[in-house]
Amino acid sequence: MFEKYPFEKLNELLKDVPHPEEVLSLTIGEPQFETPKFIQDSLCKNAKYLNKYPKTAGEEVLKEAQRGFVKRRYSIELKKDELLPSFGTRELLFNFPLFLRPKKTAFPNPFYQIYEGAAIAAGSEINYMELKKENDFKNRLSQLEGDEDFIILNTPNNPTASVMSLDELSEWVEYALKNDVVILSDECYSELYIDEKPPSILEAAINVGNKNFKNILAINSISKRSSAPGLRSGFIAGDSEILKRYLSFRTYVGCASPLPLQYAAAEAWSDDEHVEPFREKYRKNFEIAKEILGVEIPKATFYIWLEVGDDIEFTKEAYKRGVKVMPGRFMGRKGAGEGYVRIALVYDEERTKKALKIIKELL
């Protein structure tokens, strides 16, 4: 029913491969930099609220902070019923399709594994829309089969690091309106940009006159933005009619965030200055990658989608030399991702240089 998770497949692949004692793991999209102190201090200060049940709908202080982020970042003033906080975005990506019960779902291929797992759990047929060099690793309307009632987009993209433009996203919004299709845009890497800020599908909705975000939803997370994946703070924003019904569904799911986490997350969502040092670290890592590997610097994320030939053999050889990468085929279906590896540049400069020099020797 469910495919093995990519990391489980990777562990099986490498279990008998000899390797040095120290291995640099570039496989997981988990920031390795310390969470800012003001966020940690808020968590400690509010630990006393562990004696209270959190609301499914989230505390107003958190919702205000998240709407404030959207206003500052996208110049969009969301109404109160146009945003719901979540316990990270992984739970959203899994349980939203269970709520929606689509007959057919389309999403990028390769992809974040939860997209497929949720579709399977919801009993939905799947259209795997391949991301490849020929389409600049961006999904096009021509990839649709015409009978989908739910579409997931992912920009900035994991694993390929591609970024869709406002015009490209606007085409998808127009399609959703014309064909009464729900589109969910996963934008969790939106704040890890190099220079130009990536657009949101919410901006695209406004751009085509869909001011009420009909059929359009965006999700975002604090995990990458604030180097705080342990806070499990995300949100879903957009179509208020869908969100009202989804909130009722969430009451039964039991995924409300503990109050100390909500208060700390509110502090993080309300502050923009602490994010720039993280962006600068990733910029420097990309510059190192360009210098050592000769790759182009992507517009956002902290990933390199590196073409290597045989991704399985490359992964094993890299592991023998002390570097762990993710084979592209483990993140895709029907051959998508083969020939590539995903490299997460989540370490400091010194370890990044060491790992990339080993990869360079293998290319």
Side-chain angles (χ1 to χ4, degrees):
M1 186 179 179
F2 294 105
E3 282 258 2
K4 290 181 179 178
Y5 218 63
F7 300 103
E8 187 179 353
K9 292 181 180 180
L10 182 61
N11 288 338
E12 289 179 356
L13 174 69
L14 300 178
K15 66 179 180 179
D16 295 323
V17 177
H19 58 277
E21 185 175 342
E22 182 186 6
V23 174
L24 292 168
S25 181
L26 307 181
T27 59
I28 188 168
E30 180 182 66
Q32 297 299 305
F33 304 114
E34 186 176 1
T35 303
K37 189 174 185 300
F38 78 96
I39 300 174
Q40 296 185 46
D41 288 345
S42 176
L43 183 62
C44 294
K45 182 179 72 175
N46 292 293
K48 60 188 176 184
Y49 295 116
L50 284 171
N51 68 332
K52 298 183 183 297
Y53 282 116
K55 301 171 187 173
T56 298
E59 296 300 308
E60 192 56 38
V61 65
L62 176 57
K63 290 185 281 188
E64 284 182 7
Q66 292 175 328
R67 290 195 301 269
F69 162 77
V70 173
K71 184 177 180 179
R72 295 191 310 275
R73 176 65 167 81
Y74 302 111
S75 300
I76 295 173
E77 193 151 358
L78 294 173
K79 300 181 181 71
K80 287 190 174 184
D81 58 359
E82 290 177 335
L83 180 145
L84 282 177
S86 64
F87 195 56
T89 53
R90 179 171 175 162
E91 61 99 340
L92 279 176
L93 287 166
F94 188 77
N95 68 47
F96 184 81
L98 296 180
F99 150 76
L100 198 64
R101 292 288 173 181
K103 293 180 180 177
K104 189 169 186 177
T105 303
F107 53 74
N109 181 28
F111 53 89
Y112 179 39
Q113 189 93 359
I114 303 301
Y115 303 166
E116 182 186 66
I120 292 170
S124 179
E125 187 182 345
I126 299 173
N127 172 12
Y128 297 94
M129 301 187 294
E130 186 174 1
L131 300 172
K132 51 188 177 181
K133 195 184 302 183
E134 290 73 19
N135 60 17
D136 297 322
F137 303 106
K138 300 178 187 181
N139 289 132
R140 312 293 183 186
L141 290 173
S142 59
Q143 294 178 293
L144 293 174
E145 295 168 354
D147 56 346
E148 297 91 349
D149 49 352
F150 181 47
I151 298 167
I152 300 174
L153 300 176
N154 178 207
T155 178
N157 184 260
N158 169 25
T160 70
S162 65
V163 176
M164 298 177 75
S165 70
L166 183 64
D167 287 344
E168 288 166 337
L169 285 170
S170 296
E171 289 180 2
W172 286 94
V173 175
E174 289 176 328
Y175 180 88
L177 291 172
K178 182 179 179 181
N179 297 276
D180 195 23
V181 175
V182 175
I183 296 183
L184 177 70
S185 181
D186 179 354
E187 301 174 357
C188 289
Y189 290 88
S190 69
E191 302 316 287
L192 299 189
Y193 53 84
I194 304 306
D195 295 308
E196 186 178 343
K197 297 177 181 180
S200 168
I201 200 167
L202 299 178
E203 291 178 287
I206 299 292
N207 187 49
V208 301
N210 183 8
K211 295 181 181 179
N212 292 325
F213 311 111
K214 179 175 170 55
N215 288 352
I216 300 301
L217 297 155
I219 65 171
N220 213 321
S221 165
I222 213 166
S223 298
K224 324 297 180 186
R225 176 183 184 269
S226 300
S227 193
L231 271 184
R232 311 308 302 135
S233 180
F235 66 75
I236 181 168
D239 188 323
S240 61
E241 291 303 315
I242 294 176
L243 291 180
K244 284 176 189 175
R245 291 183 280 118
Y246 181 45
L247 176 57
S248 296
F249 172 86
R250 288 177 64 80
T251 304
Y252 291 88
V253 175
C255 53
S257 176
L259 288 173
L261 271 65
Q262 288 196 51
Y263 288 126
E267 296 273 359
W269 283 112
S270 298
D271 182 82
D272 298 325
E273 291 185 7
H274 75 279
V275 187
E276 182 54 37
F278 295 127
R279 289 193 199 103
E280 185 58 31
K281 291 177 189 294
Y282 298 128
R283 283 191 194 103
K284 287 181 179 178
N285 282 349
F286 277 129
E287 288 169 2
I288 292 168
K290 183 176 182 180
E291 178 185 344
I292 294 175
L293 301 179
V295 296
E296 289 299 312
I297 296 176
K299 292 182 179 180
T301 79
F302 43 49
Y303 295 124
I304 292 176
W305 189 236
L306 186 66
E307 192 167 8
V308 296
D310 187 329
D311 51 312
I312 293 295
E313 287 305 313
F314 186 91
T315 298
K316 291 194 287 187
E317 288 301 316
Y319 192 57
K320 289 177 183 177
R321 303 189 189 199
V323 176
K324 191 187 285 189
V325 297
M326 178 62 72
R329 72 181 69 189
F330 288 178
M331 304 192 72
R333 303 289 180 265
K334 302 180 179 181
E338 288 185 13
Y340 291 84
V341 295
R342 188 187 73 175
I343 300 171
L345 301 182
V346 292
Y347 287 104
D348 57 48
E349 290 182 52
E350 183 180 348
R351 282 183 285 185
T352 297
K353 284 180 182 178
K354 181 178 179 180
L356 294 183
K357 285 178 180 178
I358 292 171
I359 290 172
K360 172 66 175 176
E361 293 171 1
L362 292 170
L363 289 174

